[in-house]
Structure formats: structure tokens, C-alpha cells
Amino acid sequence: VVKRKNKLKLNAKINELNDILRDKCNIYGFNFVDNANIGRDHICSDNLHLNHYGLCRLANNFIGMLNYLGNN
């Protein structure tokens, strides 16, 4: 889950959720796409949607996972 720009207190909960999701993925044999490289500067002025740079990072995260899966 990508952190929010305008909800800094919520970001701690998002970190907890991502940790839980990562652990569950490991337990059940799923791959986890880590989007921690998407920060506040990748969010539009509406504080919710990804801007162009955020969308590029998200796409690259998925492409990276697909490449990883294709090589294993």
C-alpha cells in the first residue's frame, strides 16, 4: 500500500499493513511487490493519486517483479 501525502499519521499504519502483507505473502508463497520507493513527491496535489513519476515507479515495480518471476 502506497503512503499518503496528507495523512502522515496514517503512514505508520500503512507501514504496519505492508509488513503484515509481506509476512502473509511469505507464508502462503506469494510474491510481494514493494512500493516503498514511492514517496510523497510522487503524489498529485489531490494528495491521493500518483503523479507521472509515481506511476512510472509503480510500473517499474511491477515490471521488476515480472522480470524476477520470469527468471525463476
Side-chain angles (χ1 to χ4, degrees), residues 25-40:
C25 285
N26 287 332
I27 290 169
Y28 293 106
F30 292 100
N31 292 292
F32 179 79
V33 178
D34 189 359
N35 293 309
N37 64 341
I38 299 174
R40 285 186 266 159

Side-chain angles (χ1 to χ4, degrees), residues 39-71:
R40 285 186 266 159
D41 54 333
H42 301 110
I43 307 291
C44 289
S45 60
D46 67 359
N47 296 317
L48 179 61
H49 296 96
L50 295 175
N51 62 25
H52 172 76
Y53 300 105
L55 290 172
C56 288
R57 289 230 173 156
L58 181 65
N60 283 328
N61 292 344
F62 281 109
I63 290 168
M65 178 57 73
L66 292 171
N67 286 334
Y68 169 78
L69 294 172
N71 292 324

